[in-house]
Amino acid sequence: MTATMELLRTACYFSKLDPAALEDIRRLITERKLPSGETILWEGQEADVLYFVISGVLKLFATSAEGREFVVRLVYGGDSVNDDAILGNGINALSAMTMSPVLLYGLHQGDLSHILRAYPQVNSNIALVLAVRQRHLVRLATELVFKNVTARLARFLLEQEKLERAGAKEVRVTQQEMAAMIGTVRELVNRSLRELEAMGAIRLKHNQIIIADKKRLTELSSL
């Protein structure tokens, strides 16, 4: 199958492009549909295709020598996956695994070079994407240093709403995955969930986490 103009416009590099530019780019795009649980990139391996997550969710993560994961970010809503490799040294800094069925648009590195020369707006879009990515990494580092596990978990739960707005309600995150996303261990996630429930911010019901008081959860995420 080939990319559609409507979906291609949602890819972060190609917003605000005119129809003629999108049509030129569309012919260079490849499409992949993958089930949940598929690893599409491996940390340390070479890459020559840039991916955009058009629908569904995947996680970008690093793995320690002992096999422990740290999830750097979730990718969805047309966001790009492996910019660091394609725009940099060609080596994936992180692994990537689907957390739901996904639709990926792919663009070969050589074709991206053609697009950058032909359409200056894409260069501007990339600059904005990388600026947002930098802010995310700064916030991530700051939270790991200055915030406790309960505050980090509160922020994570608030951000889960973005996944639902992106149409990824089917994504269910385990406590082990939560731990990997906020830089801790599963036991501390379980304890922090109980603390948030005791403070009235959430309710735990049949393995579901329900936000009971969003204002309170927001306050706790700032501690």
Side-chain angles (χ1 to χ4, degrees):
M1 297 179 66
T2 58
T4 68
M5 297 276 280
E6 180 180 359
L7 291 179
L8 183 58
R9 196 183 300 274
T10 67
C12 57
Y13 281 22
F14 307 130
S15 63
K16 301 179 182 179
L17 294 183
D18 60 50
L22 286 173
E23 176 59 28
D24 184 25
I25 294 168
R26 186 186 67 82
R27 292 193 290 266
L28 303 174
I29 294 291
T30 60
E31 181 179 289
R32 293 180 67 183
K33 291 183 177 180
L34 296 170
S36 179
E38 288 278 324
T39 300
I40 68 164
L41 299 172
W42 292 97
E43 180 181 353
Q45 289 190 346
E46 293 184 359
D48 62 357
V49 177
L50 174 70
Y51 288 108
F52 302 91
V53 181
I54 301 301
S55 65
V57 181
L58 64 76
K59 63 180 180 180
L60 285 174
F61 62 97
T63 307
S64 72
E66 296 77 26
R68 182 177 170 185
E69 286 186 6
F70 176 63
V71 177
V72 176
R73 65 186 178 97
L74 302 183
V75 188
Y76 54 92
D79 201 2
S80 50
V81 177
N82 53 330
D83 321 68
D84 56 302
I86 301 304
L87 299 175
N89 63 0
I91 304 298
N92 292 318
L94 301 168
S95 299
M97 176 184 287
T98 62
M99 297 186 70
S100 72
V102 300
L103 171 62
L104 299 175
Y105 279 179
L107 183 65
H108 282 275
Q109 192 171 31
D111 292 330
L112 177 61
S113 297
H114 156 73
I115 291 169
L116 294 178
R117 291 192 299 270
Y119 304 107
Q121 178 63 49
V122 176
N123 290 276
S124 299
N125 289 348
I126 291 174
L128 290 174
V129 168
L130 296 182
V132 170
R133 203 73 46 76
Q134 175 71 9
R135 285 196 294 272
H136 168 78
L137 292 175
V138 169
R139 188 193 68 183
L140 182 63
T142 301
E143 289 188 347
L144 288 172
V145 172
F146 295 118
K147 291 189 177 182
N148 62 30
V149 171
T150 301
R152 300 203 303 270
L153 182 60
R155 190 269 305 164
F156 169 79
L157 294 176
L158 289 168
E159 291 204 339
Q160 287 300 98
E161 290 186 326
K162 296 180 181 179
L163 290 180
E164 294 186 5
R165 290 198 296 272
K169 294 182 180 180
E170 72 275 19
V171 175
R172 293 292 179 263
V173 181
T174 67
Q175 289 190 16
Q176 186 62 49
E177 288 172 325
M178 290 181 197
M181 291 176 190
I182 65 172
T184 187
V185 295
R186 187 189 62 79
E187 291 77 10
L188 288 180
V189 167
N190 185 273
R191 184 187 305 171
S192 294
L193 286 171
R194 299 298 176 185
E195 289 178 1
L196 291 173
E197 184 178 39
M199 290 184 282
I202 65 171
R203 286 188 291 114
L204 302 175
K205 182 179 180 181
H206 304 305
N207 295 322
Q208 287 187 312
I209 302 171
I210 302 167
I211 296 178
D213 187 337
K214 188 173 181 179
K215 181 179 178 180
R216 178 62 172 149
L217 194 62
T218 301
E219 291 171 351
L220 291 169
S221 74
S222 300
L223 295 178

